Amino acid sequence: MSREHLLEALEQHMRRQNVHGLYSLSMDHSPSEQLTGETWHTTVLIMSSHMQHEMLAVRLARRLRHKTGILMKWTNASKKYRDCFLSVFFEELNVSPAVSVFAISAKEGEIRDSAEHFIRELGLQQHYNRVETLAGKIRVEIGPLMNVTKGEKVTISLSENRALMGLFIAHFVIRMQSCMYEAAKNINQVSMINLNFLGDKFPGPPGQEMDLMFQALTSFSRATGRIAWGYFGESDTEQMDLLADNLAGALNAMHRKQGDFPGFNSDKMDSGLFYWEVWSA
């Protein structure tokens, strides 16, 4: 789906709702939030204005696990659970008019090769530096940035494998927010698109490294709205977070195994919005 088709789909989706410009989001990644040598990486955003994606997760869990009614971590799921997941997910999404899903899958090589593109579009040309340690490893330093709350300059230091995924994820989130803003503006719905994240915690210490990088990159410009970042203390028990974990795992598995899943047909969505962007050479 091109940007033009996405904007058209978003406009139609928003016209069916009472859009007020504030969304709650769940986000997760497969296989993880850092480059690990895997061929494919997938990031998923699932959002709604009044937490309707939580109810989607509950309905999905009841169908996939009748006895417990709780979704499993994708890495622990049985073959039967995995084989059924996408089919049931799309059935439930199709009766969830207020839920939007944005996903992106890219080969690891594509993410590495796109670093300069991300840096340029995020305005980091003077603030992104690769530094070789005494041990011969590459770390990335982002800064100096101004912490307006404390009134002091900050430089973020993290491994290159995490920094590259941080660029990839933040760039996608900002682009999707921009598309939502443009679609809403076209139909004169709202003046801002504000996103409140409840995601899976990034690797590294809270408030530092990748966590701080994502917050900083998504806060540079507020012309289209605010992006607020937070995460669950125990995400493995939260249905919304498990939903994002499952969908990221399922979509990534389609590429990794070059397989197909019963019921996968995003072109026939009547209700909920589903957008999936795939990068490959």
Side-chain angles (χ1 to χ4, degrees):
M1 185 188 293
S2 65
R3 178 182 171 85
E4 291 72 22
H5 286 131
L6 173 58
L7 289 174
E8 182 180 348
L10 276 167
E11 287 182 25
Q12 293 176 0
H13 185 63
M14 288 177 169
R15 287 184 190 278
R16 295 194 294 262
Q17 306 170 55
N18 183 21
V19 177
H20 54 70
L22 177 61
Y23 292 86
S24 297
L25 281 80
S26 297
M27 177 173 72
D28 215 328
H29 324 276
S30 179
S32 72
E33 299 91 339
Q34 53 194 327
L35 300 185
T36 57
E38 296 281 347
T39 304
W40 285 96
H41 291 267
T42 297
T43 289
V44 163
L45 312 175
I46 306 176
M47 69 179 73
S48 59
S49 56
H50 292 91
M51 305 292 280
Q52 291 93 336
H53 61 294
E54 181 176 23
M55 294 309 301
L56 187 157
V58 170
R59 295 197 309 271
L60 189 63
R62 288 172 180 167
R63 293 183 61 182
L64 290 172
R65 302 188 74 200
H66 308 289
K67 293 182 179 180
T68 66
I70 300 173
L71 294 172
M72 300 182 68
K73 286 283 289 183
W74 186 255
T75 54
N76 300 329
S78 65
K79 183 179 185 302
K80 180 180 178 181
Y81 181 104
R82 294 186 180 207
D83 288 346
C84 293
F85 177 80
L86 280 179
S87 177
V88 178
F89 170 79
F90 281 110
E91 288 177 10
E92 292 299 334
L93 179 62
N94 205 31
V95 292
S96 303
V99 178
S100 303
V101 176
F102 302 93
I104 184 169
S105 296
K107 287 188 173 180
E108 187 160 306
E110 290 290 308
I111 297 173
R112 291 188 182 278
D113 292 344
S114 299
E116 291 301 321
H117 171 72
F118 297 146
I119 291 167
R120 183 173 61 254
E121 293 220 329
L122 292 170
L124 293 174
Q125 296 95 322
Q126 307 302 318
H127 304 282
Y128 188 98
N129 299 291
R130 298 173 76 250
V131 178
E132 185 173 353
T133 68
L134 294 175
K137 295 182 178 181
I138 300 296
R139 290 187 67 82
V140 167
E141 292 184 352
I142 301 173
L145 307 174
M146 178 60 70
N147 184 324
V148 294
T149 302
K150 297 181 179 180
E152 59 187 27
K153 292 183 178 181
V154 176
T155 295
I156 304 166
S157 176
L158 68 169
S159 70
E160 187 173 40
N161 286 338
R162 291 181 179 178
L164 290 171
M165 275 297 288
L167 292 175
F168 174 67
I169 295 166
H171 184 262
F172 180 63
V173 168
I174 292 169
R175 283 195 297 116
M176 293 304 100
Q177 182 200 36
S178 175
C179 286
M180 293 178 69
Y181 171 80
E182 188 171 338
K185 187 176 179 181
N186 287 345
I187 57 177
N188 298 315
Q189 286 276 26
V190 294
S191 59
M192 291 287 178
I193 296 294
N194 297 312
L195 307 179
N196 288 338
F197 275 85
L198 285 174
D200 203 11
K201 190 184 85 68
F202 284 115
Q208 300 180 43
E209 295 190 3
M210 197 171 182
D211 189 357
L212 184 56
M213 176 186 180
F214 181 79
Q215 293 182 56
L217 296 187
T218 54
S219 299
F220 279 166
S221 174
R222 296 192 174 185
T224 58
R226 170 185 51 77
I227 298 176
W229 169 244
Y231 46 81
F232 295 110
E234 296 184 12
S235 60
D236 290 356
T237 64
E238 297 290 341
Q239 294 281 60
M240 290 187 300
D241 196 70
L242 288 168
L243 175 63
D245 164 87
N246 280 204
L247 185 58
L251 295 180
N252 205 58
M254 292 183 71
H255 291 298
R256 191 176 65 250
K257 297 180 180 178
Q258 296 182 335
D260 195 9
F261 286 76
F264 176 72
N265 192 339
S266 61
D267 296 330
K268 293 185 178 180
M269 282 290 101
D270 298 322
S271 185
L273 176 77
F274 180 78
Y275 170 75
W276 188 14
E277 194 172 291
V278 179
W279 293 10
S280 63

